[in-house]
Amino acid sequence: MSSKDLFGVILAGGVGTRFWPLSRETMPKQILKVAGDDSLLQGTIKRLSSIIPTKKISIVTNSEQAELIKLHLASEVKEKKSAQISADVGFIIEPFGRNTAPAIGLAALELIKKNPDAVMAVFPADHLIKNIPAFKRAISGAVIAAREGYLVTFGIKPSSPETGYGYIKSEKKGEKKYGSVNGRNIERFVEKPNLVRAKKYLKEGSYFWNSGIFIWKASVILEQLKVHTPSVYKGLKAINEGRDILKAYKLIESISIDNGVMEQAQRALVIEAPFGWSDVGSWASLDEAAKPNKEGNIIKGRVVDIGSEGSFIIGSDRVLATIGLKDIVVVDTPDATLVCPRNRAEEVKDMVGLLKKKDYVEHQRHVTIQRPWGTYTVLEEGVSYKIKKISVTPGKRLSLQSHKKRSEHWVVIKGQASITCGDEKIKLKKNESTYIPVGVKHRLENLSKTVPLEIIEVQNGSYLGEDDITRFDDDFKRS
Amino acid sequence: MSSKDLFGVILAGGVGTRFWPLSRETMPKQILKVAGDDSLLQGTIKRLSSIIPTKKISIVTNSEQAELIKLHLASEVKEKKSAQISADVGFIIEPFGRNTAPAIGLAALELIKKNPDAVMAVFPADHLIKNIPAFKRAISGAVIAAREGYLVTFGIKPSSPETGYGYIKSEKKGEKKYGSVNGRNIERFVEKPNLVRAKKYLKEGSYFWNSGIFIWKASVILEQLKVHTPSVYKGLKAINEGRDILKAYKLIESISIDNGVMEQAQRALVIEAPFGWSDVGSWASLDEAAKPNKEGNIIKGRVVDIGSEGSFIIGSDRVLATIGLKDIVVVDTPDATLVCPRNRAEEVKDMVGLLKKKDYVEHQRHVTIQRPWGTYTVLEEGVSYKIKKISVTPGKRLSLQSHKKRSEHWVVIKGQASITCGDEKIKLKKNESTYIPVGVKHRLENLSKTVPLEIIEVQNGSYLGEDDITRFDDDFKRS
């Protein structure tokens, strides 16, 4: 069904605090592999790529997340040949997030330059869709309506009185066929309801869950932004005319496309989505992403269980021993463990807020940190020392750098290290070591094409923050 | 009340698998601090020392546990002046455990040599007693009865139909006063009952919980062992006559004093113990050892909780985040985490069995290991490398040793190291390092009297087991 005018846009700016401790500020939900071998983002790209060529798909995100996402997709491409498609995806980068209306507007501006008649299909990065043929048919129909000038959204027929989703109230009359699917005019959008209202909506019949998927012509959504959110439109226009994007974004209103446009728009259409959708919003809905065993458990990692039921038990390399749990979520990571009943999984968001308030660091980052050259893991940290395991990908090297406050001892435990230290260049094999004094320019490099390099680094110093680094040369252009 | 003929005996041979993951094979329940600042053993010694001079108290244990217990008591003495009393306690060491009858018999043989009229008071190492004055009064009374030739045990008035304890049925008639307490003849001993029976016992009135505390003359219990368990007595006699204890123990029957003697004995007396007793048998009874907060929770370590009730949440240095738990036990240690409902805490024993069966190591030892010279912690272990943090107590040194299969890189992170490596002797400060090649004799020593020495050790080698060690000289006489 690929057509010249159809473009894909993936919104990937979220953090997804409700998947803590797997998600962190530096490990957003969309790049987590909660649903098997693929991350949610990778799954979204794969799904879209069967409809739209990858070169015509763009990811909209902010500059901080863009680096993470590029690293993630690159490592996916390396690991799995099937992920090759990810390499072609384009990026539209906001200086920082301003909700969905500005993000979509920015993408529309880009697309209209490529094709004045561009139809853009907008998808959240972190949803699951199971029935791909039905998904394709629904898109086909929606594209027809979009070409007629409609703002189209997919609505999901509610199967339960869900209080975690927004709802769309459709007009009961005036249903019209677009391809193999039916569209109805939208009466209004409803924020997440309480249980009483949700039950009423379920019974009433004309309410849909808001899928967050939209299809429209780029020119039409820009027109609508101009009419309904003039301040957003003004900012976008300034950017288009060459104004500094950071300055423009600071003035732009933070508003969702639902509130900013869809609620006001005249020609807004909801198409009933027949394709098994889930937003995997919290640990409670993990069973929509992964298949529970016959006891209703989802168990991953080094878990030993005796007789649990309906529980999600996600371990790591440590032993996670569970006995007789009922509908409990346990998620264990190297530096943090979460235990909560499934029906209180929404409160994980509050837990992350509490950690932030209490000045913990465990909501910010994992102990293993992705870098363009590989990874590092903090094994132990104490007063004036820090122990790291550093892995350098074959063919990669760290920046040429120095530190003002710390020295470093390096012991090679795998592969071969090519090391610059001051004016010296040396090579170290497994079981050899060297010392990098305070202030001396140094660089660590893995010249092998196949074998990863691993070293243990023992840092000593009065200050051991990652920001004590002066870079003189960097393959990845970091400052 | 201290009297010349009164001796204390503490039975400390148990492992206490039901306190996993805090307890391990190399960290038995009695040396855990589940009830505050003191270990259960330390608490038992303290309690007894107010009645019996510490020099007249002996710990009966097996040779494996004896080393652990000595290390534990020594480090307690160092940490807390109040623990000084522990330093004087004697040890009676079995080659391996054979249940309580042989352990008590062995202790009786020792005591009778010191004093032919010795009265021995026998206590489990891992129980809690709250009312010390009442405890003293009860012992006083029991000693009177013991001097008359009775086998005396304390019975606890049941407060609930407990199925985790053994029961003692007393004769309804013939109550007699001993000091300020009452004794009755014992009709029979009952193994842990089911709930129906336990309820009956509670109602019936003449049943007591079996406290495992016994008081009798050493000569009387030896006589009774001779009459009722001749095989045990024969073995003990052989040991007394100079026979090798290991050989003798292999032939000795494994039997409890309850089954072996008390059930058959004519002059067995139960004294109602008025002193608030608990055996802290599993995580479920932790609230008898520590005081729950107003929500009924016991919370320790780096825990962040939102709205849990009746739960025991024991964390470590990692973040343990809990939300809305009800009557759940969560115990987190650096290498293993347990989650189970309180009413299934007895099954922790099965979990340990399962770990053993599955060839896990996490039921055997903690990542931090106590040594007579200090501690070491395994930070990371991989194919052909292992990273340890080693702490050496001021004034202590490791053995002069060598390894056949591994080399070691040492980086000092705290204090000063005095190092022997081959023929060389060097001193290293913080941030200095050295290398110990395969096969070279070496020794690590902390000459400071006040500052602990800490080093990071990076081992490389084809085999990294702790048993690859040849010792040439050792302050602690290990082979």
Side-chain angles (χ1 to χ4, degrees):
Chain A
M1 69 157 286
S2 173
S3 34
K4 229 178 158 181
D5 59 354
L6 184 60
F7 293 83
V9 171
I10 298 172
L11 302 179
V15 175
T17 50
R18 284 173 298 173
F19 276 96
W20 186 85
L22 274 199
S23 67
R24 308 277 168 122
E25 279 178 19
T26 56
M27 179 60 82
K29 174 186 167 191
Q30 61 264 28
I31 64 177
L32 290 182
K33 295 180 182 178
V34 289
D37 278 351
D38 284 330
S39 68
L40 291 165
L41 173 62
Q42 183 74 19
T44 303
I45 296 172
K46 257 193 192 173
R47 195 160 57 237
L48 276 189
S49 71
S50 67
I51 305 173
I52 304 171
T54 339
K55 286 189 181 178
K56 290 171 75 187
I57 300 173
S58 302
I59 294 173
V60 187
T61 187
N62 56 62
S63 57
E64 209 184 319
Q65 298 226 352
E67 289 312 305
L68 286 170
I69 291 174
K70 282 175 185 174
L71 268 175
H72 164 69
L73 294 179
S75 76
E76 286 297 287
V77 168
K78 243 196 78 198
E79 262 179 44
K80 296 179 281 194
K81 281 183 183 165
S82 67
Q84 187 59 48
I85 45 165
S86 303
D88 300 330
V89 171
F91 277 82
I92 295 169
I93 298 177
E94 302 178 278
F96 46 84
R98 271 292 192 237
N99 212 330
T100 49
I104 286 169
L106 197 66
L109 280 177
E110 288 283 321
L111 298 185
I112 213 165
K113 285 180 209 163
K114 294 184 185 170
N115 184 337
D117 295 320
V119 171
M120 62 190 277
V122 181
F123 301 88
D126 52 5
H127 291 187
L128 280 182
I129 286 166
K130 285 182 184 161
N131 185 341
I132 303 299
F135 176 65
K136 284 187 186 180
R137 284 194 301 274
I139 300 261
S140 285
V143 168
I144 295 168
R147 286 195 188 120
E148 289 178 14
Y150 280 103
L151 301 179
V152 185
T153 180
F154 288 130
I156 316 297
K157 194 84 194 161
S159 54
S160 61
E162 183 64 50
T163 58
Y165 298 150
Y167 285 69
I168 297 169
K169 165 107 176 73
S170 66
E171 286 180 3
K172 288 200 176 170
K173 292 176 185 173
E175 195 168 82
K176 203 181 151 190
K177 221 167 176 70
Y178 297 94
S180 64
V181 289
N182 296 314
R184 288 180 189 183
N185 285 328
I186 292 172
E187 199 174 294
R188 61 188 177 96
F189 282 74
V190 187
E191 299 277 320
K192 295 176 187 179
N194 60 25
L195 190 64
V196 176
R197 278 210 207 122
K199 281 183 178 169
K200 217 184 80 187
Y201 297 166
L202 182 65
K203 210 172 158 188
E204 208 269 356
S206 66
Y207 284 85
F208 294 98
W209 290 337
N210 183 351
S211 71
I213 302 173
F214 303 100
I215 301 184
W216 44 51
K217 285 179 78 171
S219 57
V220 172
I221 192 68
L222 283 170
E223 242 176 60
Q224 293 291 309
L225 282 164
K226 188 175 177 181
V227 175
H228 302 294
T229 60
S231 78
V232 172
Y233 183 78
K234 206 176 137 196
L236 293 171
K237 198 163 161 261
I239 294 162
N240 202 36
E241 284 161 1
R243 174 88 176 277
D244 179 70
I245 189 169
L246 182 60
K247 279 186 188 157
Y249 251 70
K250 280 182 181 161
L251 298 170
I252 269 179
E253 189 185 357
S254 176
I255 188 168
S256 74
I257 198 79
D258 305 42
N259 288 336
V261 174
M262 294 301 282
E263 296 208 341
Q264 283 80 35
Q266 296 303 312
R267 304 191 72 195
L269 215 63
V270 57
I271 283 178
E272 186 183 331
F275 46 63
W277 167 95
S278 158
D279 94 327
V280 206
S282 74
W283 287 117
S285 57
L286 190 63
D287 54 351
E288 290 170 10
K291 208 176 139 58
N293 67 14
K294 65 180 193 295
E295 289 80 24
N297 300 316
I298 295 171
I299 293 181
K300 266 189 186 184
R302 207 147 159 261
V303 173
V304 183
D305 178 63
I306 296 177
S308 291
E309 293 167 22
S311 294
F312 303 155
I313 305 168
I314 313 295
S316 60
D317 291 341
R318 306 165 62 255
V319 172
L320 180 52
T322 49
I323 300 173
L325 301 182
K326 284 200 175 140
D327 300 319
I328 299 277
V329 175
V330 186
V331 184
D332 181 50
T333 67
D335 61 341
T337 302
L338 168 76
V339 187
C340 84
R342 275 173 68 173
N343 62 12
R344 295 189 68 170
E346 286 290 321
E347 289 173 59
V348 171
K349 201 173 182 166
D350 305 330
M351 175 59 71
V352 170
L354 196 55
L355 292 173
K356 207 165 184 165
K357 203 175 132 197
K358 289 182 177 233
D359 278 335
Y360 281 63
V361 296
E362 283 81 359
H363 66 285
Q364 292 173 343
R365 49 178 161 78
H366 279 290
V367 290
T368 295
I369 307 277
Q370 303 286 327
R371 286 286 183 248
W373 45 259
T375 63
Y376 71 80
T377 304
V378 177
L379 299 182
E380 162 101 357
E381 204 170 344
V383 176
S384 78
Y385 75 90
K386 194 194 268 184
I387 321 299
K388 279 183 180 178
K389 179 180 163 183
I390 296 174
S391 300
V392 187
T393 310
K396 300 285 184 190
R397 59 180 184 177
L398 285 68
S399 64
L400 180 65
Q401 59 188 244
S402 69
H403 312 291
K404 291 195 178 76
K405 302 283 177 83
R406 68 172 186 260
S407 57
E408 294 171 348
H409 289 265
W410 291 351
V411 182
V412 176
I413 55 170
K414 187 179 184 178
Q416 193 180 39
S418 298
I419 294 167
T420 306
C421 180
D423 297 331
E424 260 194 305
K425 288 199 172 222
I426 56 167
K427 282 189 196 302
L428 296 186
K429 296 192 305 288
K430 177 173 164 61
N431 197 24
E432 293 179 336
S433 69
T434 192
Y435 174 63
I436 314 289
V438 173
V440 173
K441 270 192 207 179
H442 60 276
R443 179 168 230 163
L444 179 63
E445 185 166 5
N446 184 3
L447 291 176
S448 164
K449 279 177 183 150
T450 51
V451 184
L453 162 65
E454 290 180 5
I455 71 164
I456 299 299
E457 175 178 278
V458 182
Q459 301 180 356
N460 278 287
S462 56
Y463 177 76
L464 300 165
E466 294 300 323
D467 55 351
D468 172 17
I469 186 165
T470 312
R471 290 200 178 95
F472 303 96
D473 178 46
D474 185 20
D475 293 348
F476 313 103
K477 301 181 184 65
R478 296 165 299 173
S479 62
Chain B
M1 71 156 285
S2 172
S3 34
K4 228 179 159 183
D5 60 351
L6 184 58
F7 293 82
V9 170
I10 299 172
L11 302 180
V15 175
T17 49
R18 284 173 298 175
F19 276 95
W20 186 88
L22 275 199
S23 67
R24 307 276 169 122
E25 279 178 18
T26 56
M27 179 61 82
K29 173 187 167 193
Q30 61 264 28
I31 64 177
L32 291 181
K33 295 179 183 180
V34 291
D37 278 350
D38 284 330
S39 67
L40 291 166
L41 174 61
Q42 183 74 18
T44 302
I45 296 173
K46 258 194 192 171
R47 196 158 58 235
L48 277 190
S49 70
S50 68
I51 305 173
I52 305 172
T54 340
K55 287 191 179 176
K56 289 171 73 187
I57 299 173
S58 303
I59 294 173
V60 187
T61 187
N62 55 63
S63 56
E64 210 182 320
Q65 297 226 353
E67 290 312 306
L68 288 169
I69 292 174
K70 284 176 184 172
L71 270 175
H72 164 69
L73 293 181
S75 75
E76 286 297 286
V77 168
K78 242 195 81 202
E79 262 180 44
K80 295 179 283 192
K81 281 184 184 166
S82 66
Q84 186 59 48
I85 45 164
S86 303
D88 300 331
V89 170
F91 278 82
I92 296 170
I93 298 177
E94 302 178 278
F96 46 85
R98 271 292 191 236
N99 212 330
T100 49
I104 287 169
L106 197 64
L109 279 178
E110 290 282 321
L111 297 186
I112 214 166
K113 284 181 211 164
K114 294 183 185 172
N115 183 338
D117 294 321
V119 171
M120 59 192 279
V122 182
F123 301 88
D126 51 6
H127 291 186
L128 280 182
I129 286 166
K130 283 178 185 162
N131 185 340
I132 303 297
F135 177 63
K136 283 188 188 181
R137 283 194 301 273
I139 301 258
S140 283
V143 167
I144 296 169
R147 286 193 189 123
E148 289 179 14
Y150 280 103
L151 302 179
V152 184
T153 180
F154 288 130
I156 316 296
K157 194 86 196 160
S159 54
S160 61
E162 184 64 50
T163 57
Y165 298 150
Y167 285 69
I168 297 169
K169 166 108 176 71
S170 65
E171 286 179 7
K172 287 197 176 172
K173 293 178 186 171
E175 197 168 79
K176 204 181 150 188
K177 219 165 178 71
Y178 297 93
S180 65
V181 290
N182 296 314
R184 288 181 191 182
N185 285 327
I186 292 172
E187 197 174 296
R188 63 189 175 95
F189 282 75
V190 188
E191 299 277 319
K192 294 175 186 178
N194 61 25
L195 191 62
V196 177
R197 277 210 209 122
K199 282 182 177 168
K200 217 184 79 187
Y201 297 164
L202 182 63
K203 211 171 157 187
E204 208 270 353
S206 65
Y207 284 85
F208 294 98
W209 291 337
N210 184 350
S211 71
I213 302 174
F214 303 101
I215 301 187
W216 44 50
K217 285 179 78 171
S219 57
V220 171
I221 192 68
L222 282 171
E223 241 175 61
Q224 293 291 307
L225 282 164
K226 188 174 174 182
V227 175
H228 301 297
T229 60
S231 77
V232 172
Y233 183 77
K234 206 177 134 192
L236 293 171
K237 200 166 159 258
I239 295 163
N240 203 35
E241 285 161 2
R243 175 88 177 276
D244 181 71
I245 190 170
L246 182 61
K247 278 186 190 157
Y249 251 70
K250 279 182 182 160
L251 298 172
I252 269 178
E253 189 185 355
S254 177
I255 188 167
S256 74
I257 199 77
D258 306 41
N259 289 337
V261 173
M262 293 303 280
E263 297 207 340
Q264 281 82 33
Q266 296 302 312
R267 304 191 71 195
L269 214 62
V270 58
I271 284 179
E272 186 181 332
F275 47 63
W277 168 96
S278 158
D279 94 327
V280 206
S282 75
W283 288 116
S285 59
L286 190 63
D287 53 351
E288 291 171 8
K291 208 177 139 62
N293 66 15
K294 65 179 193 294
E295 289 81 25
N297 300 317
I298 295 170
I299 293 182
K300 267 189 184 183
R302 210 150 158 257
V303 173
V304 184
D305 178 63
I306 297 177
S308 291
E309 292 167 21
S311 294
F312 304 156
I313 306 168
I314 313 295
S316 60
D317 291 341
R318 308 164 62 254
V319 172
L320 180 53
T322 49
I323 300 172
L325 300 184
K326 282 197 179 142
D327 299 319
I328 298 277
V329 175
V330 186
V331 184
D332 183 49
T333 67
D335 61 341
T337 303
L338 168 77
V339 188
C340 83
R342 274 173 69 173
N343 63 12
R344 294 189 68 169
E346 286 290 320
E347 289 173 60
V348 171
K349 201 173 183 169
D350 305 331
M351 176 58 73
V352 170
L354 197 55
L355 293 173
K356 206 165 186 169
K357 201 175 135 195
K358 289 184 176 231
D359 278 336
Y360 280 64
V361 296
E362 284 81 358
H363 65 285
Q364 292 173 342
R365 50 178 162 76
H366 280 291
V367 290
T368 295
I369 307 277
Q370 303 287 327
R371 287 283 184 249
W373 44 260
T375 62
Y376 71 79
T377 304
V378 177
L379 299 181
E380 163 101 358
E381 201 171 344
V383 176
S384 78
Y385 75 90
K386 192 194 270 184
I387 321 299
K388 279 185 182 177
K389 180 179 164 187
I390 295 174
S391 300
V392 187
T393 309
K396 301 284 183 188
R397 59 181 184 175
L398 284 69
S399 64
L400 180 65
Q401 58 188 243
S402 71
H403 311 292
K404 291 196 176 78
K405 302 284 177 82
R406 68 173 187 259
S407 57
E408 294 170 349
H409 290 265
W410 292 350
V411 182
V412 177
I413 55 170
K414 186 178 184 181
Q416 192 180 40
S418 297
I419 294 167
T420 306
C421 181
D423 297 329
E424 261 193 307
K425 287 196 175 227
I426 57 168
K427 284 188 196 300
L428 295 187
K429 295 193 305 287
K430 178 173 162 64
N431 197 24
E432 293 179 336
S433 69
T434 192
Y435 174 63
I436 315 290
V438 173
V440 174
K441 271 191 206 180
H442 60 277
R443 178 169 231 163
L444 179 63
E445 185 166 4
N446 184 3
L447 291 177
S448 165
K449 278 176 185 151
T450 51
V451 184
L453 162 66
E454 289 182 5
I455 70 164
I456 299 298
E457 174 178 278
V458 182
Q459 302 179 356
N460 278 288
S462 56
Y463 176 77
L464 301 166
E466 293 301 323
D467 54 351
D468 173 17
I469 186 164
T470 311
R471 291 201 177 95
F472 302 97
D473 177 47
D474 186 21
D475 294 348
F476 313 103
K477 300 180 184 67
R478 296 165 298 173
S479 61

